[in-house]
Amino acid sequence: MPRMLDDWLGSYLEYTCHTESAKIFHKWVGLSTIASVLQRKTWFQFGMFKVYANVFIVLTAEPGRARKTQALRLGQDLLSEIANVKMAADSTTIQALFMDMEDAVQETYIYNAPVRHSSITISSDEFESFLGQKGDNATMIIQLTNLYDCKDGTFKHRVKSSPSSTIPNPWLNLIAGSTPDSLAVSFPMSAIGGGLGSRIMFVWAADREHPVAIPSTGGDKDMRSNLVADLEDMMQIKGGISFSKESAEWWINWYNSYDMADPDRLCTDHKFAAWYSRKPTLVQKVAMLCAASERNPEAIEIHDFKRAISIIEEAETVMEHAFEGVGKNEYAGEIKYVEDLIKSYGSISEEKLFQICWRDVGSDKFDVVFDTILRKGVVQRVGYSTIRGEKACTYTWKGKC
């Protein structure tokens, strides 16, 4: 059956363009939606290895700014129309997740042979409600890390006072929303620098795409119908996808020139060093999704890889903002809070600033926080004398050096 749309992802962005959510959020929700229908039924044959199209995505913004939840709901709405797409509970425990995965087991014929697999997508409005609080979520973090790799065979897990979970050929796809402050309380430093954090694409947006005073009641119904129809068509994609001769040569050149430790890389935050070691695999995953967006592919072509890199690098340039509230500095949260205040005002007196933030940044922290901000070079302090002859100062936002 021919596709209704030339490019599913491009059409999805058109379908969602009259909403307030940041466009970059819609783009990654669209990719996650495609992944949800590909499941473990298809893979990229990378030499002796299989690379599956599951992606872990966390949409990140300040509360209420970029409409994360709105973007997530639009993807969830389309997936609700597709049979055999299994969704995990939004807020859950590791035991409940394994139960959902056991319930999601299905049998698919691939190359005329039955294959049992458990393919499931987590779509969570609040990542921390799923992940849990720092200190209590070590098991969840470890198991999510293990499940990301989609290892062949049966996955077994047992906890005290509960029956063991047996999951054949697991495949887990994840997309969630969060804020920098929420990540700070749910993500331990060890998971940010490696492990789970290196497997997640943190997608940051500073603000909504544009104001929409009154959203449409149902959107473009014909477009929605075509999007659903093509997702159903993608459900029929099965088996391995390979390089074409041309894309294999292109990949060799790109990979050999790729430097994960490049000092001029797009994100210089040291917390993402391990993420860069996994970027080539992410490129392969997203290239599969780009290929499936256009056709039922037998091979990933050069333009699929180039499109994937462009999409990833758009998010890569700003992903460090996701962890602005996280760091070994015990005042990291307060520093970010004060910087955001100064940035929002443009210029503000020290007296007014202290009146606003004294509940969150007490006098015992005030000097340390402001000394750090000034040393970062993002704020300028200008002293002056009041009409009463008292010393005062104003803080003005300069921006990133």
Side-chain angles (χ1 to χ4, degrees), residues 195-215:
L196 182 59
S198 67
R199 291 164 168 82
I200 295 175
M201 183 72 248
F202 292 95
V203 181
W204 167 265
D207 211 339
R208 60 187 176 174
E209 193 66 25
H210 44 232
V212 179
I214 303 177

Side-chain angles (χ1 to χ4, degrees), residues 300-360:
I300 299 179
E301 303 293 347
I302 294 173
H303 77 274
D304 299 319
F305 283 117
K306 288 184 175 180
R307 186 181 188 187
I309 290 171
S310 176
I311 290 171
I312 291 168
E313 291 187 345
E314 178 190 19
E316 188 181 334
T317 56
V318 290
M319 66 183 180
E320 64 184 39
H321 294 298
F323 289 107
E324 287 180 334
V326 179
K328 293 182 179 179
N329 185 336
E330 63 177 304
Y331 301 122
E334 288 87 350
I335 290 168
K336 178 183 177 300
Y337 172 60
V338 173
E339 284 182 350
D340 287 345
L341 277 174
I342 298 172
K343 184 178 180 180
S344 67
Y345 277 88
S347 184
I348 185 173
S349 70
E350 184 175 76
E351 180 181 12
K352 183 174 182 178
L353 189 58
F354 190 70
Q355 288 173 353
I356 295 171
C357 68
W358 67 269
R359 290 183 178 85
D360 300 289

Side-chain angles (χ1 to χ4, degrees), residues 150-186:
C150 302
K151 296 175 183 176
D152 291 336
T154 300
F155 181 90
K156 295 182 179 179
H157 178 73
R158 183 185 179 94
V159 293
K160 287 184 178 180
S161 69
S162 296
S164 60
S165 298
T166 302
I167 303 166
N169 296 313
W171 181 95
L172 182 64
N173 188 52
L174 182 150
I175 187 165
S178 193
T179 68
D181 287 345
S182 294
L183 287 175
V185 300
S186 62

Side-chain angles (χ1 to χ4, degrees), residues 12-164:
Y12 181 74
L13 293 178
E14 181 182 342
Y15 173 69
T16 58
C17 70
H18 299 297
T19 67
E20 292 193 328
S21 299
K23 182 178 180 179
I24 195 171
F25 285 173
H26 286 312
K27 191 174 296 183
W28 284 90
V29 168
L31 290 169
S32 180
T33 302
I34 296 172
S36 297
V37 299
L38 293 185
Q39 303 179 335
R40 198 186 171 101
K41 301 182 277 74
T42 189
W43 59 87
F44 175 55
Q45 192 66 52
F46 187 51
M48 295 185 295
F49 306 101
K50 292 179 179 179
V51 177
Y52 292 95
N54 64 311
V55 280
F56 283 12
I57 301 162
V58 177
L59 311 180
T60 314
E62 296 293 351
R65 295 297 294 271
R67 306 295 190 261
K68 305 180 297 292
T69 301
Q70 185 182 94
L72 288 166
R73 295 286 169 81
L74 289 171
Q76 293 166 1
D77 173 63
L78 294 182
L79 288 175
S80 68
E81 300 284 342
I82 311 300
N84 291 326
V85 169
K86 309 297 184 182
M87 307 291 289
D90 185 7
S91 179
T92 190
T93 63
I94 190 65
Q95 292 82 13
L97 173 60
F98 288 143
M99 290 177 63
D100 284 343
M101 295 190 75
E102 286 184 309
D103 292 341
V105 174
Q106 57 184 297
E107 186 174 270
T108 302
Y109 274 78
I110 302 174
Y111 299 133
N112 297 318
V115 176
R116 296 182 74 240
H117 62 98
S118 174
S119 296
I120 196 166
T121 289
I122 299 167
S123 182
S124 177
D125 295 347
E126 300 293 341
F127 187 44
E128 61 278 7
S129 72
F130 179 84
L131 191 64
Q133 293 292 305
K134 191 160 45 179
D136 299 325
N137 58 7
T139 300
M140 177 69 86
I141 287 172
I142 291 170
Q143 297 300 352
L144 288 176
T145 304
N146 291 334
L147 289 166
Y148 174 87
D149 295 326
C150 302
K151 296 175 183 176
D152 291 336
T154 300
F155 181 90
K156 295 182 179 179
H157 178 73
R158 183 185 179 94
V159 293
K160 287 184 178 180
S161 69
S162 296
S164 60

